[in-house]
Amino acid sequence: MKITKGFKAALLGAALVAGVATTATAQELKFFTIGTGGTAYTYYPVGGVIANAISKPPGSRPCEEGGSCGVDGLIASAVSSRGSVDNVNAIISGLRNSGFAQSDVAYWAYTGTGTMEGKAPAEDLRTIAALFEEHIHLVALADSGINSVADLKGKRVSLDEPGSGTYVDANMILEAAGVSSDDISAEALKGGAAAEALRNGKIDAFFVVAGYPTGSLVELASAADIKLVPIDGAAADALTEKYGFFAKSDIPEGAYEGIATTPTVAVGAQWFTSAKEDDELIYQITKALWNEKSRKLLDVGHAKGKSITLETALNGVGVPLHPGAERFYKEVGMIK
């Protein structure tokens, strides 16, 4: 049987296709979700930056050649959600692989205490890293006459959605200032919807817990005359004394157009996963997060990215580390 040149070429082409298919099969494709928050707040864009940093789809250029320095075969995605409480629930139920949450919300969920008292402890919740500080913003129009939390009595106030960390903290702040739920007309608006309602006079104030500068407030401050209401004095003292995860902290002048330095309180934003997630995968994800190339992505990807550092990765961690993450921190000497 005589083999023609055309037949030889066809055989060679088939062999090459088979080789590529074999390579793609050999590199198992993995998907990993990160629950974030509303698209107008800080969690969502930061989640996108981190998802990019830890991803390395098949066919990516090697890290040392300027390509992705993420986990081989991993495609991570940032998923918009209702916030901290929603993310914790989604992790425990297996709906999402991981998610961001406020340190206070996560601790209460893990221990079944505080605002989660009476619920089964989320014993499988595990920490990957502490990320950045989140400040409580209380926003009102500049001419509203609202100058303190106590001034919210008789006002229409958005506390955010019940599945969010903002909702939890807003209620605690009101309580610390002696304002009950009966004293206000509560709304459950999120992000841009709350900002728009304030501009249109449908609400008098709203709470946001987010790293500054948060996108929706940057836009609002450029379009309307607003103020950040201080959370200080006896109310701040009561919060920080009763709850160790709250800290007094300022939102500096310049964070938002036309707004002076404002005293408030802050909590930590942290990244969580489930104890059921594979140890090797979480080790590789943690290692990719703190790769030097990822540092560049964090620094330019979002204003809050520069606050996300390896040096502060274990600050305020109240939920046990995932074994994979713990292995990495031991390797770099952060845990003995």
Side-chain angles (χ1 to χ4, degrees), residues 246-265:
F246 274 121
K248 295 178 186 178
S249 188
D250 292 345
I251 298 173
E253 182 177 5
Y256 303 103
E257 184 179 330
I259 298 178
T261 298
T262 307
T264 185
V265 291

Side-chain angles (χ1 to χ4, degrees), residues 156-160 166 170 185-190 194 203 205-207:
R156 297 160 299 173
V157 185
S158 176
L159 308 179
D160 208 316
T166 297
S185 177
E187 301 286 346
L189 302 174
K190 199 165 193 69
I203 60 173
F206 67 94
F207 284 91

Side-chain angles (χ1 to χ4, degrees), residues 286 290 295 307-314 328-329 332 334:
T286 310
W290 300 121
R295 173 79 269 144
S307 303
I308 302 173
T309 67
L310 178 59
E311 290 72 24
T312 59
L314 300 180
F328 171 80
Y329 293 121
V332 297
M334 293 179 68

Side-chain angles (χ1 to χ4, degrees), residues 28-203:
E28 183 185 354
L29 193 61
K30 300 180 286 287
F31 296 93
F32 192 84
T33 51
I34 304 171
T36 59
T39 55
Y41 292 160
T42 310
Y43 277 8
Y44 185 73
V46 169
V49 174
I50 289 177
N52 188 27
I54 67 174
S55 294
K56 188 175 182 180
S60 300
R61 280 190 300 160
C63 177
E64 58 274 12
E65 295 178 14
S68 172
C69 299
V71 181
D72 286 338
L74 185 71
I75 297 177
S77 58
V79 182
S80 177
S81 79
R82 294 170 67 189
S84 294
V85 177
D86 185 34
N87 290 337
V88 169
N89 290 337
I91 291 167
I92 297 306
S93 69
L95 180 62
R96 297 185 194 114
N97 301 106
S98 71
F100 299 159
Q102 294 166 201
S103 53
D104 53 338
V105 172
Y107 176 77
W108 285 332
Y110 176 72
T111 57
T113 59
T115 59
M116 304 297 180
E117 192 167 357
K119 296 183 179 180
E123 295 178 345
D124 281 341
L125 196 64
R126 295 292 182 273
T127 305
I128 296 176
L131 300 176
F132 54 85
E133 266 194 329
E134 292 190 277
H135 287 70
I136 286 80
H137 301 62
L138 176 53
V139 189
L141 293 176
D143 60 358
S144 64
I146 299 172
N147 299 308
S148 69
V149 179
D151 290 337
L152 294 177
K153 289 183 178 181
K155 305 295 185 181
R156 297 160 299 173
V157 185
S158 176
L159 308 179
D160 208 316
E161 296 175 339
S164 69
T166 297
Y167 180 84
V168 174
D169 286 348
N171 279 285
M172 293 170 60
I173 289 165
L174 291 172
E175 181 184 0
V179 181
S180 76
S181 56
D182 294 332
D183 292 327
I184 63 169
S185 177
E187 301 286 346
L189 302 174
K190 199 165 193 69
E196 192 63 26
L198 184 73
R199 286 185 63 186
N200 294 334
K202 293 181 179 178
I203 60 173

